Amino acid sequence: MTLASRAFAQLATWPDLRQAVPSCGLGRAVRSAQGEIAHFHSERDVDLRLTDRAVRRFAKDLRGSDAIRVVPGSQWVTLRLDAASDVDLLLTLVSVALQAQQLWPDPADRAVVGCNDQRGAGFVKADLGGL
């Protein structure tokens, strides 16, 4: 079982999440009542919707991880699952994402735009210090 499969299987058992078809149409997804949370695009890459505010709030914590990639202006972060500790990080960040969706919902007039996979291969590890 790959790390992504293991993480997806664990998340699928959480009571606040259910399996879904990703809005981008690629891979598998989990969502909450408030919207999509994570898209599993490959056996190693997972896009996680933290929300803009959560990305800014946790910028210092996210900055030091080589497993996390951020696309400037995106409310999604991409995690690379290379080790069991990356799965633990993903599960922790999914908890953060669930809380963020409840505490800081997106404005009703703002559509959630795809995920980082839809932004092509041009994403790079961003310096989050300015957020």
Side-chain angles (χ1 to χ4, degrees):
M1 180 180 269
T2 66
L3 293 172
S5 296
R6 191 177 97 203
F8 186 83
Q10 285 183 268
L11 291 172
T13 67
W14 288 21
D16 292 340
L17 296 176
R18 64 181 170 86
Q19 294 182 39
V21 175
S23 60
C24 64
L26 301 171
R28 302 179 294 173
V30 291
R31 65 175 291 119
S32 71
Q34 287 78 32
E36 293 180 292
I37 292 283
H39 296 174
F40 289 74
H41 293 296
S42 73
E43 294 303 321
R44 295 178 66 188
D45 295 319
V46 180
D47 283 347
L48 176 68
R49 186 171 148 245
L50 283 177
T51 74
D52 292 327
R53 189 166 175 183
V55 170
R56 287 192 309 271
R57 181 169 186 210
F58 296 106
K60 243 186 217 182
D61 299 309
L62 298 173
R63 184 181 319 133
S65 176
D66 290 334
I68 299 173
R69 302 248 188 276
V70 176
V71 175
S74 177
Q75 56 188 309
W76 296 81
V77 297
T78 300
L79 279 82
R80 182 71 137 185
L81 303 178
D82 288 325
S85 60
D86 297 333
V87 173
D88 295 337
L89 176 60
L90 171 64
L91 298 177
T92 299
L93 289 176
V94 168
S95 292
V96 170
L98 285 166
Q99 289 180 327
Q101 283 188 350
Q102 292 171 357
L103 295 173
W104 309 307
D106 293 314
D109 62 342
R110 180 174 176 203
V112 175
V113 178
C115 59
N116 287 346
D117 190 68
Q118 291 295 303
R119 295 168 187 255
F123 72 89
V124 295
K125 182 168 175 95
D127 177 8
L128 300 174
L131 292 177

